[in-house]
Amino acid sequence: MDFRLTAEQQQFRDSVLRFSKNELSAGALQRAHDAGYPWDVAKKMAAQGLLGITIAGKDGGQGGTLMDAVLAIEAVASACPRSADVIQAGNFGPIRVLAEYGSASQKQYLKKLLAGEAVIAVGMTEPDAGSAVTDLATKATRDGKGWRVNGSKIFTTHSAYADLILAYVRFGPGVGGIGSVLVESKKIRRGKTSQFMSGEEWAELHFDDVLVPDEMVLLGEGGFKKQIAGFNVERIGNAARSLALGRYAFEQARAWALERKQFGRLLCEFQGLQWKFADMKLELDAAQLLLYRAAANAEHGLPSAEETALAKAYCNRAGFNVANEALQVMGGTGYSQDTLVEYCVRRCRGWMIAGGSIEILKNRIAEAIFERSFSQRG
Ligand SMILES: Cc1cc2nc3c(=O)[nH]c(=O)nc-3n(C[C@H](O)[C@H](O)[C@H](O)COP(=O)(O)OP(=O)(O)OC[C@H]3O[C@@H](n4cnc5c(N)ncnc54)[C@H](O)[C@@H]3O)c2cc1C
């Protein structure tokens, strides 16, 4: 077993680091406080070949591995935490599910997405179906050569400006009745808009008798398992960003501790703070090993449910804990919006809920431990 990156991975990471330092470092603070999507970054990344890293060359991607995409998140976030969202959107999210299961005509949408000119969002969560996502009620009813879709989605990342929505819908009863459709957002009514604690905007999405032709059904009845297999990729991106933002905050605090003096001594000379740094590094390195294991073991680019759950739950916790400790070490400066450390805390907090909360992932881990499933229903 070799824990080092291969020469190609090292080279790839170095090139993304160079690009990120040159193109993204300036403006990182401003970007973090903008609610909208950083389209300028998306276009630069498209030109650099950083969108579609894991998507096959025949579909317009780079034909790389999930591990390459994880390295890209880490390198980009080290210069601009907010820009790591663009790597997520262009590699890990619903774009990956579309590339995996889409028909030739559906994959036409990849062109604009990979050019950084459009973004796709995934609508799973509904007012009465959060953790219990299989309770979703958005219904697709047969109508001629298509389906009439009715229902609402909430909390959808990118929903305020996405061009395309991958919506989980119910074609029939039970888990087996769940599938998904692709809908251009101009056919959907956007309701109340809101902001997460991170500052990101989201809008309620209402499907009012939206007609979806058969060609826009991504996965029909019985497609839920496949959909979740694809969603595990999204979870890896979520985990990678948690870890990367935790590491960013850690590096800021490390630099601060090497220059800030109190009581006539550098902060790094106080043992109480040295132990904080040692604990932070323990968490970051352990999280990284779990993340790399899940990404490196991914078969055909799709990671296992168990390794993904372990990696995401641990990275989510580590990212938040480390960012929070880094903020503490930086005192009032860390709490101020003059640095990105408070932003890292806010972002990492959200990923403990999004994409399968830590509790739900622990339920999944327990099922693997006991080799049986546990119904959460009363
Ligand atoms: C930043 C962010 C981005 C998001 N982006 C998207 C997106 O793009 N698309 C999308 O569809 N959704 C998105 N969501 C929604 C997200 O998937 C849900 O918030 C999440 O699944 C939890 O659902 P809920 O908020 O309804 O909480 P609930 O399901 O009501 O849960 C409340 C609390 O109870 C816990 N809990 C629930 N059931 C159990 C159980 N059986 N055992 C133990 N604990 C339990 C949960 O972990 C949570 O802590 C996003 C959320 C956030 C915060």
Side-chain angles (χ1 to χ4, degrees), residues 121-127 129-133 153-158 196 198 200 231 234 347 349-360 363 376:
V122 58
M124 302 163 72
T125 309
E126 300 180 1
S131 300
V133 68
K153 301 286 178 186
I154 56 169
F155 298 151
T156 309
T157 301
H158 306 309
F196 289 125
S198 59
E200 292 167 284
F231 191 62
E234 175 144 7
R347 283 314 299 278
R349 190 67 190 81
W351 293 321
M352 297 163 92
I353 300 166
S357 68
I358 290 182
E359 292 77 17
I360 294 302
N363 290 344
Q376 302 298 310

Side-chain angles (χ1 to χ4, degrees), residues 214-232:
D214 275 338
E215 309 86 80
M216 293 294 268
V217 173
L218 184 68
L219 288 167
E221 217 163 335
F224 185 70
K225 253 193 161 170
K226 277 185 164 178
Q227 192 82 46
I228 289 294
F231 191 62
N232 280 329

Side-chain angles (χ1 to χ4, degrees), residues 89-131:
N91 293 283
F92 293 86
I95 191 173
R96 183 69 183 78
V97 177
L98 168 59
E100 186 72 24
Y101 305 120
S103 64
S105 72
Q106 290 167 352
K107 286 188 190 177
Q108 292 302 315
Y109 286 101
L110 286 175
K111 211 168 170 197
K112 277 183 90 177
L113 298 173
L114 292 174
E117 291 167 4
V119 78
I120 175 172
V122 58
M124 302 163 72
T125 309
E126 300 180 1
D128 294 324
S131 300

Side-chain angles (χ1 to χ4, degrees), residues 244-316:
L245 267 63
R247 202 176 280 290
Y248 180 94
F250 172 84
E251 289 301 338
Q252 298 294 307
R254 194 178 79 85
W256 183 252
L258 284 166
E259 73 181 41
R260 168 81 171 161
K261 278 189 175 169
Q262 285 296 282
F263 302 100
R265 299 172 74 189
L266 288 170
L267 293 186
C268 69
E269 291 171 7
F270 297 115
Q271 192 181 51
L273 297 187
Q274 290 168 4
W275 285 9
K276 271 191 193 295
F277 278 98
D279 282 338
M280 286 190 252
K281 181 146 175 64
L282 275 168
E283 280 203 77
L284 290 174
D285 285 9
Q288 190 161 45
L289 288 174
L290 286 175
L291 174 65
Y292 282 11
R293 180 179 73 172
N297 283 347
E299 277 177 38
H300 311 296
L302 298 180
S304 91
E306 184 189 352
E307 289 186 353
T308 301
L310 285 159
K312 182 178 181 292
Y314 201 87
C315 286
N316 286 164

